[in-house]
Amino acid sequence: MGYTIAQKIIKNHLISGEMTAGSEIALRIDQTLTQDATGTMAYLQFEAMGTERVKTELSVAYIDHNTLQAGFENADDHRYIQTVTKKHGIRFSRPGNGICHQVHLERFSKPGKTLIGSDSHTPTAGGIGMLGMGAGGLDVAVAMGGGAYYITMPKIIKVELVGKLNTYVGAKDIILEVLRMLGVKGGVGAVIEYSGEGVKTLSVPQRATITNMGAELGATSSLFPSDEITKAFLAAQERECDYIPLEPDADAVYDAEYKVDLCALEPLAACPHSPDNVKPVSELEGMAIDQVCIGSCTNSSMLDMLTVAAMLKGKTVHPNVSLSISPGSKQVYTMLAECGALADLIAAGARILECACGPCIGMGFSPKSAGISLRTFNRNFEARSGTADAGVYLVSPETAAASAIMGKMTDPRTMGGTLDINVPTHFHINDNLIEMPASPEEAKSITVERGPNIKPIPVGKAPDADLDCSLVLKVGDNITTDHIMPAGTKILPYRSNVPKLSEFCFTVCDPEFPERAKKNGGGIIVGGSNYGQGSSREHAALVPLYLGIKAVVAKSFARIHVANLINFGIVPMTFENPEDYDKLKEGANLRITGFADAVAGADTLTLECACGAKIPLRLTLTERQRAILSAGGMLNYTKNNG
Ligand code: MIC
Ligand code: SF4
């Protein structure tokens, strides 16, 4: 039996475990990346492990998220990351150099290699045939120290692309169609592999738009083959030497297969508040809009920007619309300036932002009250834009530009004409904003600078022998890490200050939660299915830990979040019978007799509720995960195991 692309890369990086879907495997990691909103924690944890120099082939730290500096906090974190990376052998991408995934794709990603990043959109690198996976900062710290990365061996889902996109239909519409078909849980436990004739019609940045939003399917990763198009992209980046061909064997076997006919696709939009709530733009046409934001790691490549510039050239953004544009990288920004397209965008009235995440993470540009915002981004979760009652629609750059001109949701195909975009075959190469680390000798004299906002990381405790606590919060399905630990300009500066951050935990769902949790001395959280989807932010585990949360009971969990819970010693459990979810009421007193023993060795346990209900729960854990939880989290576990 032949191998798929993911299976080939996994086989070449397998340290231990069986390559059968569902079993735990340990992988060797070639490259890591961090960004600043998760990076401070990742490097604090790396320092705590005591490793002098990273052991990966390449590790890069990006500054792209917390770039609005309304106080000293973000700038302090940037300096901390700059000094700690210089000392320990990590490259530092300075603020202004661009969004981690876009820059990594351009300058560092390599087909056939493995990458983990403390950001859920690390699978963007799959556009070039690299196995990129989002992870918690602690897992990235372990990988930087030379440790393995543990995942569940994924199933492989094949998506065959046939035909060719029509004018005004973009790569974003392909992934929105896949989201419509599979839903936000459809990729959990799987790698999505794209194949078929349609693949040959897509450039690497278009492929990367698709693999980027595989995160929204809950997938472990998404992959395209590495072919002549990949080679041309690498040549345009003066990196042809990084090229290797990579394709699935003809007799590779897939767990599921889907087909998307590119010719039949029309412009699509993901409606509030979920990336899988997809409708054709033609059905939403005419809806009044207030804002359009173009950029993010999903759609900020040269192709995206040139498309938008061509559509806006000679036009004026509608008076009811505020249009922001953030190019993905300094490379894109520079080339836009050099070719004059930037002038077309400025002349049309676009508000040009720096090349960073910006509005995508609520770093400015929040819409007006109950505003409608069209964004080329990847997430439209409730309140993520910074305006609680705003409605965010995820669309292609083509739909965004057409709508910005018309002042209403507009199917770009109604704009008429053709789009003739010529992306240069050679990119502007200048890595002057990537700082190289110090040599091991020089590193000895480097002092790591720590601002006053950087507070110690909470450390977990071993589970209680018997657990007595209250059900401190009950939430529904598809709770995102943006619900658990919201972001935005006001909160993000505290990513390295867990006590302060705790004041905002779960406030999107329940403003009283932080106070109640503190008063109760913590407790248990109950959730529905796909609990913890979205971002890789380990703060969504660290902060509940700080508030005394001992366990989360849910119908099912998202991959990265469940790993983060385990890393910080919070026990994830699932309902044996999902309908038991309804029996549990917030505020109930709960008891689990023999909790610690169950965590150490049982597959099931019983949750006793003061109301009399006895609810069977499942512990789906590997031996390694049981040992981590029994130690009270990964930091204790690593210490205990020398
Ligand atoms: C996101 O898109 O939600 C983020 C912000 O990039 C996160 C990381 C974070 O919360 O810092 C992610 O995707 O992992
Ligand atoms: Fe940044 Fe948005 Fe991409 Fe997250 S999804 S890395 S916030 S641009």
Side-chain angles (χ1 to χ4, degrees), residues 176-368:
L176 288 176
E177 172 64 8
V178 178
L179 272 153
R180 193 190 60 73
M181 288 177 346
L182 301 184
V184 289
K185 288 183 284 185
V188 175
V191 168
I192 318 286
E193 288 194 21
Y194 292 87
S195 66
E197 284 306 300
V199 163
K200 301 204 179 82
T201 67
L202 300 171
S203 64
V204 167
Q206 286 176 299
R207 296 173 180 184
T209 293
I210 296 167
T211 53
N212 173 286
M213 280 190 80
E216 277 55 66
L217 294 162
T220 304
S221 192
S222 297
L223 276 165
F224 272 80
S226 172
D227 56 13
E228 288 305 309
I229 290 171
T230 320
K231 193 173 175 180
F233 177 80
L234 283 165
Q237 293 286 350
E238 295 180 9
R239 299 205 287 126
E240 209 175 328
C241 56
D242 290 337
Y243 174 72
I244 58 154
L246 198 56
E247 58 174 12
D249 291 331
D251 54 347
V253 178
Y254 299 88
D255 296 281
E257 299 193 23
Y258 297 86
K259 196 185 262 191
V260 177
D261 181 0
L262 304 188
C263 317
L265 272 189
E266 57 177 305
L268 298 171
C271 304
H273 298 290
S274 183
D276 62 356
N277 186 11
V278 175
K279 295 200 175 115
V281 170
S282 56
E283 276 180 26
L284 303 162
E285 258 207 319
M287 179 184 68
I289 62 169
D290 305 291
Q291 185 188 66
V292 175
C293 299
I294 299 176
S296 92
C297 58
T298 326
N299 277 114
S300 59
S301 68
M302 199 56 193
L303 172 68
D304 294 325
M305 294 292 146
L306 288 177
T307 303
V308 171
M311 291 178 70
L312 288 178
K313 191 178 166 104
K315 311 253 174 35
T316 301
V317 172
H318 191 277
N320 291 349
V321 175
S322 193
L323 167 67
S324 79
I325 298 188
S326 17
S329 65
K330 171 166 135 308
Q331 182 182 74
V332 172
Y333 218 152
T334 309
M335 288 169 70
L336 283 177
E338 283 171 350
C339 75
L342 185 60
D344 296 332
L345 297 173
I346 296 170
R351 297 168 62 185
I352 313 291
L353 306 180
E354 66 176 318
C355 45
C357 301
C360 180
I361 188 58
M363 267 283 152
F365 236 83
S366 298
K368 77 174 184 67

Side-chain angles (χ1 to χ4, degrees), residues 331-601:
Q331 182 182 74
V332 172
Y333 218 152
T334 309
M335 288 169 70
L336 283 177
E338 283 171 350
C339 75
L342 185 60
D344 296 332
L345 297 173
I346 296 170
R351 297 168 62 185
I352 313 291
L353 306 180
E354 66 176 318
C355 45
C357 301
C360 180
I361 188 58
M363 267 283 152
F365 236 83
S366 298
K368 77 174 184 67
S369 303
I372 297 297
S373 180
L374 266 52
R375 300 178 161 210
T376 66
F377 306 167
N378 45 35
R379 293 193 168 139
N380 58 349
F381 302 147
E382 192 180 2
R384 181 175 160 103
S385 66
T387 303
D389 56 0
V392 173
Y393 292 74
L394 306 175
V395 297
S396 69
E398 290 85 346
T399 301
S403 305
I405 297 165
M406 304 307 288
K408 54 187 182 188
M409 180 73 103
T410 303
D411 184 332
R413 294 172 302 175
T414 61
M415 303 300 278
T418 50
L419 275 177
D420 196 11
I421 310 298
N422 287 314
V423 177
T425 49
H426 181 260
F427 293 116
H428 181 112
I429 312 294
N430 180 358
D431 291 331
N432 63 334
L433 290 193
I434 303 207
E435 257 184 73
M436 295 303 282
S439 68
E441 203 38 51
E442 285 163 357
K444 290 186 188 136
S445 59
I446 291 176
T447 311
V448 175
E449 285 183 41
R450 273 165 243 273
N453 185 47
I454 300 179
K455 302 282 187 245
I457 311 166
V459 178
K461 289 195 199 80
D464 298 347
D466 301 310
L467 182 63
D468 283 294
C469 63
S470 71
L471 198 173
V472 75
L473 182 74
K474 184 173 175 187
V475 286
D477 289 343
N478 292 321
I479 284 295
T480 71
T481 48
D482 277 274
H483 290 107
I484 306 173
M485 205 46 261
T489 37
K490 293 192 194 79
I491 306 177
L492 277 170
Y494 301 112
R495 279 290 179 92
S496 41
N497 181 346
V498 168
K500 178 73 187 166
L501 211 52
S502 71
E503 295 170 17
F504 305 97
C505 186
F506 265 119
T507 47
V508 177
C509 305
D510 179 352
E512 312 300 323
F513 172 73
E515 267 313 301
R516 190 167 65 245
K518 265 197 207 146
K519 225 168 75 207
N520 283 333
I524 285 187
I525 293 174
V526 168
S529 66
N530 203 22
Y531 179 88
Q533 68 160 327
S535 154
S536 67
R537 60 190 74 151
E538 58 194 350
H539 306 79
L542 258 176
V543 173
L545 167 71
Y546 175 81
L547 290 171
I549 301 304
K550 305 275 193 293
V552 179
V553 181
K555 291 182 188 168
S556 67
F557 289 92
R559 178 187 75 91
I560 306 176
H561 185 60
V562 80
N564 285 336
L565 288 175
I566 294 168
N567 277 349
F568 292 102
I570 298 179
V571 181
M573 299 180 283
T574 49
F575 290 101
E576 192 81 89
N577 311 308
E579 54 290 356
D580 282 341
Y581 169 89
D582 298 324
K583 293 188 186 147
L584 290 171
K585 299 267 173 300
E586 200 169 281
N589 288 326
L590 305 173
R591 179 176 172 81
I592 299 175
T593 312
F595 184 55
D597 285 348
V599 170

Side-chain angles (χ1 to χ4, degrees), residues 30-54:
D30 300 319
Q31 298 188 356
T32 64
L33 69 79
T34 57
Q35 39 92 337
D36 48 335
T38 52
T40 316
M41 281 297 163
Y43 295 111
L44 286 170
Q45 292 167 141
F46 179 78
E47 285 188 295
M49 286 170 191
T51 315
E52 273 311 311
R53 241 179 140 72
V54 283

